[in-house]
Amino acid sequence: MEKVRITFPDNSIKEFNKSITCLDIANEISTKFASQVLVAELNDKTVDLNTPVNEDAKIIFHKFDSEKGKETFWHTSSHIMAQAIEELYPGAKFGVGPAIESGFYYDVDSEHKFSEEDLRKIELKMLEIANRGLVPERIEMQRQEAIEFFKTKRKDSYKVEILETIAQDEEIVSLYSQGEFTDLCRGPHLPSTSKLKAVKLLSVSGSYWRGDENNKMLQRIYGISFPSKKELNEYLRQLEEARKRDHRKIGKDLDLFMFHEVSPGAPFWLPNGMIIFRELEKFSRELHDKYGYLEINTPIIVKEQLFKTSGHTEHYLENMFKIESETEKLYLKPMNCPEGTLVYSSKIRSYKDLPIKLSEIGRLHRNEISGALGGMFRVRQITMDDAHIFCTPEQIQQEISGVLNLMKDIYYTFGFTPNYFLSTRPDEAMGAVEDWNIAEKALKSALDENKVSYIVNEKDGAFYGPKIDVHIKDALNRTWQLATVQLDYQLPERFDLTYEGSDGKKHRPVMIHRAIYGSYERFMGIITEHFAGAFPVWLSPVQVVILTITDSVNDYAEKILNELHSYNLRAENDTRNEKIGYKIREAENRKIPFMLVIGDKEKENGTVSVRQHKKGDIGKIELKEFIQNINLLVNEKSYNY
């Protein structure tokens, strides 16, 4: 029988009979392994496990612990949910039902308005369908045949519209059937519905078909599912903890920021929040000075021509705010980079001047749709810790290394460990392949030189250059993408940026884009939830509160306050005629790091009784020693004290 050669992730190669399925290959490894895998990656394409292998191939198997494994699990779960809804509420029609970052959803057109009680019924029906052990079957057919199928047999106008518009250039389309339920879908899917062991439908909300408010409002049902009940319970526990840490609630409770309908998607920074903002800003500036950046500030309102040259009016227009001024078309800038190129080109540059590193804490505006706005995580007004490095091709590696070191200095300060992803040349890339090869090699060398592990995301680079994406995990083990380091050959070309080389000729610089916080607003939301509002001492709006037990020590409390202020510590007195227990509880609720409880004994001995947020009484010490200790925490920017 004809053979195929299969290459495994460890580069080992084994021969199998032609037409063997991916699942059979997994079983050759071990039956236990095969029972855990959910989907296969065959020559970089994700496929169903029952896919036959008819040629030599590279294969990677994915379990639930991988991104592709979760995506497949949740995608099949959305189909199971749609099937459950169809069985419980006949006549329901379905829009789209993708896997998302955490779970899945399906848009449903039904006369029945789904309640919390209905969601529980659907959950039970989903588990019943899962127990049937249905095998999702892929069916390929001509597009026109599929249109007739959904018109006559399924009577689903939404799938017909998708086939007639979104998929109009495809000759062959795929459907998936499980039991009596059939849906239009690219796949892949789980080998059996029995893989689903636990499910929770989280919410239902309105969603316009295809995001167009002129279309019908559908009901979007969100859910999450897992291979075990234990994993679901842990997820729900984390979800509850996340609700307690919601930055919008904490921001209101601690007077950090607020939102108002007069300016949707733009935060009002309150005095306490501005203290944190300024400390973040100060920290960023100190490090940028250390790493040789030059700070600039560019206009917010810009003529249209700049964004035509940069390509933003062609590729980003729907996200830009337009301003009418007399006869001119102006825009609020959505990005700082086009103006950075103007600063670079404001004078003749030599190879001796490079690299030029321009940083900017710039105010940007992006016209995000109202439904996507969410506290500080998605706003229309953004303050970005931006920077653009102009360098020679030979300097790319050293400059990327410098950016990586700067990232570590910042992220480690908050207790974040960065994870790196290298995204390479996409199919529809602009520019010469030779430039891409040089750029990718430089990024890879910089990552290797700094001894950081990374995952390669093939063909996931921006159309103008490869990039490094940086993710961090917070206290709830949630992943956030913060920094992106991008190499850009296109803006220097579009704006005709040059430098005079050692040969006396003009050369084109490479432009490196990068931001580390990402934006102050989003970063503020992340660290508020990460620390649950109990910020490190150096960031805390109030670092010390002095709590008096009796009025007789008010003068001593005032003396202590003045001493703390002389060391630039943010401190305040609470000399109200309230019981000390009440004052302590209030200070705890305000998440003030340290409380100095002052009574007659402390005044007599010249000491302070120190309480620490969440830890309680830590003893009596002299004020001078306390100031030394807290100053050490502030200066070291300790996040764990």
Side-chain angles (χ1 to χ4, degrees), residues 173-241:
V173 297
S174 61
L175 287 66
Y176 275 81
S177 289
Q178 55 192 42
E180 299 300 314
F181 179 76
T182 302
D183 203 359
L184 178 68
C185 182
R186 296 182 187 276
H189 280 280
L190 297 176
S192 169
T193 60
S194 62
K195 296 288 184 182
L196 186 149
K197 301 294 184 185
V199 62
K200 178 71 175 177
L201 300 186
L202 301 168
S203 64
V204 58
S205 62
S207 175
Y208 290 111
W209 168 237
R210 298 179 70 173
D212 187 341
E213 61 185 14
N214 295 313
N215 289 335
K216 187 171 183 178
M217 174 77 78
L218 307 182
Q219 298 180 78
R220 177 170 292 181
I221 301 177
Y222 287 92
I224 190 78
S225 58
F226 291 93
S228 73
K229 190 131 189 189
K230 180 181 178 183
E231 289 166 292
L232 174 61
N233 289 338
E234 175 59 22
Y235 176 84
L236 294 176
R237 186 196 67 77
Q238 287 195 352
L239 202 62
E240 181 57 32
E241 182 61 26

Side-chain angles (χ1 to χ4, degrees), residues 386-399:
D386 220 343
H388 299 95
I389 301 171
F390 301 88
C391 64
T392 68
E394 296 77 20
Q395 293 170 331
I396 291 174
Q397 184 176 331
Q398 73 180 42
E399 291 310 309

Side-chain angles (χ1 to χ4, degrees), residues 532-544:
F535 295 101
V537 183
W538 69 279
L539 282 178
S540 185
V542 179
Q543 296 164 324
V544 188

